[in-house]
Structure formats: C-alpha cells, structure tokens
C-alpha cells in the first residue's frame, strides 16, 4: 500500500508533469471507483492543472477551481503514458485500469488497481475538505506542528490501545500505514503491542524521533524518483517489514511475523520485545 513517503514523491513527480497542462478528458474504466457525482467528472474537461498536493495518503490534483482527489488504497498506482493509447479506456474485468487522464500534449496518466479487491477511490470536489477521509485526518508527521507534545496528547487519549494500531489510524496520525509503522517501532525498539498511554518520558522522545526520522528519511530517498521507481526503493530500504525470516540489520536475529485476517506485522524480538516472540494478537498479553 502506498504510504506517506510514496504519495509525497508521487505528488512531486506529478506536479512536474501536470502543472500547466490542460485535461482533455478523464476516461473512467472502473465506475465503482468514483465516489462523487457533483461536480461531475466531466467538469474537469478543459481545465488547466495548477497544482498537485498530498493529504495523508490522498493525492490532490487541482484544476479549474476543482480537485480530483485520489486514494490509491492497497493496490492502486499511477502509471505515466508518453502517448495516449490507441484504444480508449473501457471497463474490463481483465484490466487493472481504473481511470485515465488524457492531457493536451497527447500524454496520459493511468490510475490503476491490481487484484480483485477494489478499494481505490476518486473524488471530484470543490474543496479537499469535502472528502470525508481528508477532513478526518490527524496531524501530518512532516508538519512542524507535529511536536512531541502533540504525540504525547495522542498517546494519552488512546489509552490502552496497542501502539501499532494507533500509528496506523489515519484519524490519529496521517499517512503512516502497515509498513512504516513496523519500521518506526523497530527504530524505536518498541513492541507493537505496547499500550499507547504507557509510552512516556524517554520512550516518548524516542518514539517521536523514530516517527520523524523514519518518515523523513523515506521521503528524502523517494524525492525525485519517478513513479516506476518508488516501489523498489521502498522495499529495498525496509529493516523488518516484508523481511520475515531474514536477519535483522541491527542485531542479526531473525525477523518474525504475526499474521492477521488481512495483514501482518514484522518485528525483531531481540530489538523490540526483550527476546520474547509475540503470539497471535488475539491470544497475546500486551508486552511492555
């Protein structure tokens, strides 16, 4: 799933490609992806793109006083086309294409979603705040306003909730997903099951810097990369996420995994849980 660093890099890449270009039309290939009807998608036809921004994991393409907001969900991505394909975008169960933005210089932007579980979402709105998922976002960890005091307030308000889930909740902190929450907790040497409100003092400071450094470093590495390069960059720089069975780069212990119904987490027992392996989430006691 694209998270804050990848979406930030996509926004920067698309800004360079789209700003000043006019949208000729937007072909919708997956009708379920469009979540709004007023303004209509066709209202963007002929509009000049004047900016591309990011809100949490949302892309925001502004054109003609409107905003096309895109949430790539778990399997969505952006693919640039140097020329408009001869065949128009049409609904097809065999194609990952969700929508195609055709530009006035005969290039195009394909918005795709792999797999059978379709969660990608498109919104045409007058203001980004008209998108419920954007309006409810928590603070962005890249903002200067995200301070250790802000993090402390969040953790105390979340009580005994496990820190892994707190970091991932978009209404609590924007942009962090499954992968970077694993990386942050590994950097902080903290159990994913640790109760949020128990994180105080030196541990709070450590977690704050782990969030800022992990996300900031990932953004720095991704900045300037084309969309086609971002997935490989992300995967190659993970310390524990997606590395089950491999050696922890810090201590050499084997990276372990806890599986859930539709996701999993990875961690190092030596670095994060005092050497004790985590049992299934539903059966484990909280580790301190």
């Amino acid at each position: 799933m694209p998270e804050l660093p990848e979406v930030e890099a996509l926004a920067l890449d698309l800004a360079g490609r789209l700003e000043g270009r006019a949208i000729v039309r937007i072909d919708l290939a997956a009708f379920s992806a469009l979540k709004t009807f007023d303004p209509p998608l066709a209202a963007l036809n002929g509009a000049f793109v004047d900016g591309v921004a990011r809100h949490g994991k949302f892309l925001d393409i502004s054109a003609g006083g409107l905003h096309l907001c895109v949430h790539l969900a778990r399997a969505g991505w952006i693919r640039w086309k140097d020329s408009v394909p001869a065949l128009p975008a049409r609904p097809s169960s065999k194609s990952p294409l969700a929508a195609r933005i055709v530009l006035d210089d005969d290039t195009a932007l394909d918005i795709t979603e792999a797999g059978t579980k379709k969660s990608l979402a498109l919104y045409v709105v007058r203001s980004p705040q008209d998108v419920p998922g954007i309006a409810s976002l928590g603070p962005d960890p890249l903002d200067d306003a995200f301070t250790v005091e802000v993090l402390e307030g969040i953790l105390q308000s979340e009580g005994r909730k496990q820190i892994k889930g707190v970091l991932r909740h978009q209404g609590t902190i924007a942009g962090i997903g499954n992968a970077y929450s694993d990386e942050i907790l590994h950097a902080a040497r903290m159990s994913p099951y640790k109760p949020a409100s128990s994180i105080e003092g030196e541990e709070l400071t450590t977690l704050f810097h782990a969030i800022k450094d992990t996300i900031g470093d990932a953004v720095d590495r991704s900045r300037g990369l084309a969309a086609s390069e971002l997935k490989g960059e992300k995967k190659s720089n993970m310390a524990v996420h997606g590395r089950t069975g491999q050696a922890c780069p810090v201590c050499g212990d084997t990276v372990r995994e806890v599986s859930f119904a539709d996701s999993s987490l990875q961690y190092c027992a030596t670095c994060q849980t005092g050497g004790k392996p985590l049992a299934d989430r539903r059966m484990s006691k909280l580790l301190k």
Side-chain angles (χ1 to χ4, degrees), residues 2 10 27 29-30 33 59 70-81 89 95-101 109-115 117-122 227 231:
L10 284 173
D27 298 332
L59 279 170
V70 183
H71 192 283
L72 294 170
R74 175 166 293 186
W77 201 243
I78 300 292
R79 302 183 187 280
W80 186 258
K81 301 287 186 181
S95 172
L97 185 64
R100 174 173 294 148
I101 303 174
L109 183 70
D110 280 3
I111 303 171
T112 65
E113 184 175 26
K117 186 177 180 181
K118 303 300 184 181
S119 303
L120 185 144
L122 306 173
K231 290 183 179 180

Side-chain angles (χ1 to χ4, degrees), residues 130-187:
D130 294 337
V131 178
I134 294 178
S136 63
L137 286 173
D140 192 297
L142 291 185
D143 288 347
D144 291 340
F146 183 76
T147 62
V148 68
E149 291 78 17
V150 168
L151 178 61
E152 181 179 30
I154 289 171
L155 298 181
Q156 292 306 309
S157 68
E158 293 300 302
R160 303 288 294 177
K161 292 179 182 177
Q162 295 171 355
I163 185 58
K164 166 77 173 178
V166 171
L167 291 175
R168 289 186 62 185
H169 189 267
Q170 297 304 293
T172 304
I173 303 173
I176 299 173
N178 194 36
Y180 286 105
S181 58
D182 282 349
E183 295 299 293
I184 287 166
L185 291 171
H186 179 258

